[in-house]
């Protein structure tokens, strides 16, 4: 594409990013509002953060969410990486079409349907609903995202490296662990992060899979939002936006550094 | 043996937790509502042997589906979901295309940063991004205050709890899904094609319509599907921003299950929604396939 960056481009980018970020900026500003009224500015205050940290219900929900996210994303990464390996490397086997269909279907399935189906399964097999069932449900839909991310990396990865390891006497598992896994590690890590974020964020599937005693943070936020806007939710949202922003920026700086290091090493290798 | 284990583990997981649940949904959609636990009938009685199985199958029927077709609430909800999803997909395209175009024309140093700015909202909570609009759109919200302060309007507009708010929410939430595929196809575009068009006497605008836009079509199609498909089954946005006039099928399903406790009808609603979605999903996959072959 020929690059003739014009006023039109500058305007559309400015307006576009203003649209994307302004609502969150306003939310963050009003989280420091002294007034209980969410839309009237009454001076700077951090009292809502204090109230939030004293609110046991929110803290409990945050703990449940974190537990679910760590467990389900870890399980999803293991299963999703296996599934990606099967899709890319296992060749033909019985029911392969069904398998790849089941990998891609959850990505486009509306959450209400996935949630309903999960709940009806748990009820039919008489499983008590709680943290366990949310983990199972989250693992199932996030493993598909992991396997898409990992398989796109596996496709571009040179199979002969793995074959060389096998020729040199590695067992298939050793070859996977010492050759394949280090190379696809960035994709596995970003798969884990993606699964983790999806699990933290999910409201609909969790509401179907959760029992009366287990509430995740999105469920808690959703029920308080329905009662009206509250400055506490603004404070909570600001904290969450802050954590994510710091995390994403750190991750991108780390990956930038590792690319730069890799380039330097390649240049050094080329010189010798 | 190891290969079998490798294939079987994710396979069985998906069979048990993804496919079988859908079979159960289908089965309950064919059952009848009952005041019992579980609240539907018939239930499969395996202890009665073969006779129990045949009796079970003979009692299944399509009654719930004829009910869906006869009750105006449901087909209105489907139609209104289709309408809301289609209109908001179109607006998202109108908003997203110029942004993607601007990104593709930015300098090489800027583009990774712009990309990150588009992806960052995707990592922040969906629920919070929708919630942030309540403070803007409500009666004494930010938008009304700005409009009244500048003298554009005299009385506050009612936007929150209307379909307009739902459109805004969908466009806002799914904008990155539209921008990224369009940007990907614009970025690959060969600039010399546009230069050639302009050398041959095209104006900038007609070069855009005759060369740039047709070449970005795969990205536009992918973006539209990525917005339309999730918007159709949307539950969170209409529940938070929509009002009484807002009728969407995802919300209807949720209410049918949790408020009315009519599991068979909720399941039938889900089955029909799936059937409606199959067409765009297949079209989307074909488009992706064509893209992959073209590369």
């Amino acid at each position: 594409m020929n690059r003739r960056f014009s006023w039109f481009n500058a305007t559309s980018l400015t307006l576009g990013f203003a649209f994307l970020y302004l609502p969150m900026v306003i939310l963050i500003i009003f989280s420091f509002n002294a007034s209980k009224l969410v839309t009237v500015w009454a001076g700077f205050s951090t009292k809502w953060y204090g109230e939030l940290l004293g609110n046991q219900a929110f803290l409990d929900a945050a703990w449940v969410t974190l537990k679910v996210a760590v467990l389900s994303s870890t399980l999803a990464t293991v299963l999703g990486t296996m599934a990606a390996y099967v899709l890319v490397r296992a060749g033909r086997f019985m029911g392969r079409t069904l398998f790849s269909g089941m990998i891609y279907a959850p990505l486009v399935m509306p959450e209400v349907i996935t949630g309903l189906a999960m709940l009806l399964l748990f009820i039919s097999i008489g499983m008590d609903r709680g943290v366990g069932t949310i983990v199972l449900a989250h693992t199932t839909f996030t493993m598909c995202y992991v396997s898409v991310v990992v398989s796109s990396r596996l496709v571009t990865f040179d199979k002969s490296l793995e074959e060389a390891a096998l020729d040199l006497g590695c067992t298939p598992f050793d070859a996977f662990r010492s050759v394949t896994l280090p190379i696809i590690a960035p994709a596995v890590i970003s798969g884990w992060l993606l699964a983790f974020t999806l699990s933290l964020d999910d409201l609909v599937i969790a509401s179907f899979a959760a029992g009366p005693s287990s509430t995740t943070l999105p469920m808690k936020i959703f029920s308080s939002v329905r009662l009206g806007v509250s400055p506490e939710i603004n404070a909570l949202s600001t904290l969450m936006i802050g954590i994510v922003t710091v995390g994403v920026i750190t991750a991108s700086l780390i990956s930038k550094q590792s690319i730069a290091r890799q380039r330097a090493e390649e240049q050094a290798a080329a010189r010798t | 043996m190891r290969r079998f284990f490798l294939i079987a583990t994710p396979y069985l997981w998906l069979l048990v937790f993804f496919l079988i649940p859908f079979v159960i949904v289908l089965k309950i959609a064919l059952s009848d509502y009952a005041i019992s636990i579980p609240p539907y009938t018939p239930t499969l009685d395996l202890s009665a042997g073969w006779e129990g199985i045949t009796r079970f199958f003979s009692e299944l029927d399509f009654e719930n589906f004829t009910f869906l077709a006869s009750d105006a609430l449901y087909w209105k909800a489907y139609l209104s979901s289709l309408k809301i999803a289609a209109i908001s997909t179109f607006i998202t395209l109108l908003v997203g295309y110029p942004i993607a175009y601007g990104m593709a024309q930015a300098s090489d140093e800027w583009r990774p940063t712009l990309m990150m700015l588009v992806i960052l909202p995707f990592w922040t909570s969906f629920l919070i991004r929708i919630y942030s609009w309540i403070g803007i759109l409500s009666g004494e919200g930010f938008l009304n205050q700005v409009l009244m302060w500048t003298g554009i309007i005299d009385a506050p507009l009612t936007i929150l709890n209307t379909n307009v708010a739902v459109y805004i929410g969908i466009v806002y939430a799914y904008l990155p899904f539209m921008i990224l595929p369009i940007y990907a196809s614009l970025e690959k575009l060969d600039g010399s094609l546009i230069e050639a068009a302009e050398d041959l006497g095209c104006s900038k605008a007609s070069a855009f319509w005759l060369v740039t836009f047709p070449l970005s079509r795969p990205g536009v199609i992918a973006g539209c599907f990525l917005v339309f498909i999730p918007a159709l089954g949307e539950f969170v946005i209409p529940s938070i921003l929509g009002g009484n006039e807002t009728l969407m099928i995802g919300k209807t399903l949720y209410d049918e299950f949790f408020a009315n406790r009519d599991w068979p009808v909720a399941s039938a609603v889900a089955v029909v929604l799936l059937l409606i979605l199959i067409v765009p999903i297949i079209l989307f996959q074909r488009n992706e396939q064509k893209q992959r072959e073209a590369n």
Side-chain angles (χ1 to χ4, degrees):
Chain A
M1 178 136 214
N2 61 335
R3 295 186 216 296
R4 288 164 303 174
F5 199 71
S6 61
W7 277 111
F8 176 77
N9 297 143
T11 319
S12 57
L13 282 182
T14 313
L15 289 179
F17 285 115
F19 177 61
L20 274 179
Y21 285 94
L22 208 57
M24 284 191 264
V25 172
I26 295 171
L27 180 81
I28 291 169
I29 293 171
F30 275 96
S31 75
F32 294 105
N33 188 4
S35 157
K36 177 131 188 90
L37 291 169
V38 195
T39 47
V40 181
W41 183 257
F44 181 87
S45 158
T46 52
K47 69 172 172 186
W48 303 116
Y49 290 87
E51 298 221 348
L52 179 72
L53 294 177
N55 188 330
Q56 197 56 42
F58 275 118
L59 294 180
D60 289 345
W63 178 234
V64 170
T65 312
L66 204 61
K67 253 192 317 202
V68 167
V70 169
L71 284 173
S72 68
S73 57
T74 308
L75 205 53
T77 306
V78 175
L79 286 165
T81 307
M82 283 173 106
Y85 201 81
V86 169
L87 274 180
V88 178
R89 289 289 155 77
R92 288 172 168 279
F93 57 89
M94 228 177 66
R96 198 197 148 90
T97 323
L98 177 67
F99 183 70
S100 65
M102 288 194 299
I103 290 285
Y104 289 106
L107 307 180
V108 287
M109 198 62 72
E111 288 169 317
V112 276
I113 299 185
T114 313
L116 177 73
M118 285 281 176
L119 173 56
L120 292 177
L121 171 81
F122 295 142
I123 292 170
S124 324
I125 57 178
M127 205 165 179
D128 282 334
R129 277 169 289 141
V131 172
T133 46
I134 311 177
V135 170
L136 285 178
H138 280 186
T139 304
T140 307
F141 89 95
T142 58
M143 73 173 271
C144 301
Y145 286 87
V146 175
S147 77
V148 169
V149 172
V150 174
S151 68
S152 68
R153 177 91 179 115
L154 266 178
V155 167
T156 58
F157 159 65
D158 189 0
K159 202 177 173 180
S160 56
L161 289 173
E162 223 172 274
E163 282 160 0
L166 292 175
D167 286 347
L168 292 170
C170 271
T171 64
F173 183 71
D174 279 339
F176 178 78
R177 206 189 51 196
S178 52
V179 179
T180 317
L181 197 57
I183 296 179
I184 61 168
V188 174
I189 292 168
S190 48
W192 188 87
L193 281 173
L194 182 62
F196 185 77
T197 330
L198 286 168
S199 169
L200 281 188
D201 204 19
D202 171 64
L203 163 72
V204 179
I205 294 175
S207 332
F208 277 101
S213 59
S214 51
T215 306
T216 64
L217 200 53
M219 288 162 69
K220 186 84 192 106
I221 295 174
F222 186 65
S223 59
S224 1
V225 165
R226 288 192 132 180
L227 299 174
V229 185
S230 85
E232 265 183 320
I233 298 281
N234 285 359
L236 175 66
S237 307
T238 305
L239 286 179
M240 288 170 75
I241 293 172
I243 293 167
V244 168
T245 312
V246 170
V248 171
I249 290 175
T250 318
S252 76
L253 286 180
I254 289 172
S255 75
K256 219 182 228 173
Q257 250 178 4
S258 74
I259 290 171
R261 199 183 307 134
Q262 211 175 330
R263 254 187 222 152
E265 274 168 16
E266 276 164 18
Q267 277 170 353
R271 251 182 263 126
T272 52
Chain B
M1 190 57 216
R2 222 180 237 127
R3 181 172 178 272
F4 174 78
F5 174 75
L6 181 68
I7 296 175
T9 313
Y11 207 129
L12 282 178
W13 183 285
L14 286 172
L15 272 183
V16 171
F17 292 109
F18 189 74
L19 198 63
I20 292 176
F22 282 102
V23 176
I24 296 174
V25 170
L26 189 63
K27 187 217 117 183
I28 294 178
L30 299 172
S31 309
D32 292 320
Y33 179 74
I35 302 172
S36 63
I37 299 170
Y40 57 86
T41 174
T43 41
L44 186 53
D45 181 15
L46 281 177
S47 59
W50 184 244
E51 199 188 320
I53 295 172
T54 47
R55 190 174 345 113
F56 166 75
F57 275 106
S58 66
E59 281 178 30
L60 295 177
D61 56 40
F62 288 95
E63 212 172 64
N64 293 310
F65 294 95
T66 46
F67 172 67
L68 288 193
S70 62
D71 192 325
L73 169 76
Y74 298 101
W75 58 260
K76 272 188 184 154
Y78 285 113
L79 283 181
S80 144
S81 291
L82 282 168
K83 193 186 106 193
I84 291 177
I87 292 176
S88 36
T89 304
F90 183 67
I91 304 172
T92 315
L93 176 62
L94 290 184
V95 176
Y97 200 99
I99 302 175
Y101 188 75
M103 283 171 67
Q105 298 217 312
S107 65
D108 285 341
E109 305 109 69
W110 269 96
R111 279 192 283 162
T113 313
L114 293 175
M115 268 289 267
M116 210 177 93
L117 284 173
V118 173
I119 298 171
L120 193 59
F122 173 77
W123 289 95
T124 48
S125 166
F126 184 85
L127 190 58
I128 286 173
R129 281 188 292 141
I130 299 305
Y131 164 74
S132 69
W133 279 94
I134 298 180
I136 297 176
L137 299 177
S138 66
E140 63 276 22
F142 187 79
L143 182 67
N144 273 321
Q145 284 184 353
V146 170
L147 289 176
M148 294 216 281
W149 181 69
T150 52
I152 296 173
I153 54 167
D154 300 322
L157 302 170
T158 314
I159 308 175
L160 192 65
N161 301 330
T162 66
N163 279 349
V164 177
V166 176
Y167 290 131
I168 294 174
I170 295 178
V171 172
Y172 182 68
Y174 293 115
L175 191 58
F177 290 122
M178 185 63 89
I179 295 176
L180 292 174
I182 297 178
Y183 168 72
S185 63
L186 281 175
E187 202 209 1
K188 279 185 299 197
L189 211 96
D190 186 355
S192 56
L193 291 172
I194 293 153
E195 277 166 29
E198 289 183 358
D199 286 346
L200 293 169
C202 265
S203 69
K204 267 191 178 175
S206 59
F208 174 80
W209 280 116
L210 293 172
V211 181
T212 312
F213 189 75
L215 286 174
S216 67
R217 207 159 53 201
V220 171
I221 295 173
C224 286
F225 279 122
L226 287 179
V227 176
F228 182 79
I229 295 170
L232 195 62
E234 189 52 57
F235 163 73
V236 179
I237 298 173
S239 323
I240 293 182
L241 299 178
N244 293 333
E245 58 166 314
T246 311
L247 203 54
M248 282 192 85
I249 203 66
K251 202 165 164 297
T252 311
L253 191 162
Y254 194 91
D255 292 341
E256 200 61 62
F257 190 85
F258 284 110
N260 293 354
R261 303 210 150 262
D262 192 337
W263 296 11
V265 167
S267 301
V269 168
V271 171
V272 174
L273 176 57
L274 259 188
L275 290 177
I276 293 175
L277 271 168
I278 279 175
V279 178
I281 288 173
I282 288 174
L283 287 175
F284 173 65
Q285 270 180 335
R286 283 221 184 124
N287 178 55
E288 292 283 283
Q289 193 83 38
K290 250 197 317 202
Q291 277 263 76
R292 235 173 282 142
E293 279 159 17
N295 285 336

